[in-house]
Amino acid sequence: MATEGVTSRLLPALLGWCLSLWLACGIAVALAAISAFPTMSERGVVVPGFESLASHDAEASGRLAAGFVMDRVFAATDLAQWILAPIATAAAVACWRRLAGRRGGRLAATVGILSGLGLGLTLVHNIAIGPAMQASLASYRELLLDGDLDAALAVRGEFDTTHRLADRWYGVRMLAVGLALPLALIIPGLPKRTAS
């Protein structure tokens, strides 16, 4: 069947494409953050309405400004990973099912496991860690606007703790995707299904 041949070619291509975009999103947002936060911290950028923080800690003021700049970038990346992670994982599992017991079956299974790990960590971040960080960050900003610097700094400590956890798991997620991508690119062509 012609459609069967097309599917045999498109499924591995879809897998490679999704993993490539997923990894590119992860690297791009990390590079943007690595650039924005230190640069704005060094310059002690002041956001109007948050002058109390600037007078207390110029570097923290710069980080706050960078956070406002990066908010939309983080949100867009989280959304992209919401979309790409399940598609990549489903494609990897479909490739594995087609190759099970054949040449490339173990390779496809490994890609499926790595993609599944990435998907699981995406879910944990977007459902649990990310919202907790956003809640702490919103409280921190609100307390700063109210002029309650001590309470704001306490909340900032909570955010920093959660952020360190998010960073560690983000690294593991990107490592899983980074390992899955080159393996996915060498998965052999999928066999056509035989009529039963």
Side-chain angles (χ1 to χ4, degrees):
M1 238 195 219
T3 56
E4 187 66 28
V6 170
T7 302
S8 295
R9 291 189 302 273
L10 286 183
L11 197 55
L14 175 65
L15 173 59
W17 182 75
C18 285
L19 287 172
S20 297
L21 286 177
W22 189 0
L23 185 61
C25 281
I27 292 172
V29 75
L31 289 175
I34 288 168
S35 175
F37 284 95
T39 300
M40 296 183 88
S41 295
E42 288 166 9
R43 284 166 174 66
V45 177
V46 180
V47 179
F50 295 90
E51 292 84 2
S52 62
L53 179 63
S55 61
H56 172 75
D57 185 342
E59 286 187 11
S61 177
R63 284 193 302 275
L64 178 75
F68 279 116
V69 171
M70 291 294 298
D71 277 349
R72 288 186 181 178
V73 179
F74 291 138
T77 302
D78 286 349
L79 176 60
Q81 292 191 56
W82 261 131
I83 296 166
L84 294 167
I87 295 173
T89 303
V93 169
C95 286
W96 168 74
R97 289 186 67 200
R98 295 282 292 276
L99 289 169
R102 296 183 173 94
R103 186 175 69 86
R106 287 183 181 170
L107 183 62
T110 302
V111 173
I113 290 166
L114 290 168
S115 299
L117 174 61
L119 171 61
L121 291 173
T122 298
L123 293 172
V124 169
H125 175 82
N126 288 357
I127 292 171
I129 299 173
M133 284 173 49
Q134 287 302 316
S136 296
L137 188 58
S139 295
Y140 172 64
R141 291 171 176 172
E142 189 175 326
L143 289 165
L144 285 173
L145 280 173
D146 291 342
D148 193 346
L149 188 59
D150 291 337
L153 293 176
V155 170
R156 175 64 201 222
E158 295 171 13
F159 171 83
D160 288 341
T161 299
T162 310
H163 187 267
R164 282 190 293 274
L165 176 66
D167 268 354
R168 281 194 291 273
W169 286 116
Y170 192 80
V172 173
R173 186 188 339 171
M174 288 301 103
L175 178 61
V177 176
L179 291 172
L181 176 59
L183 297 177
L185 297 177
I186 60 171
I187 288 176
L190 300 182
K192 294 181 181 180
R193 288 190 181 133
T194 55
S196 51

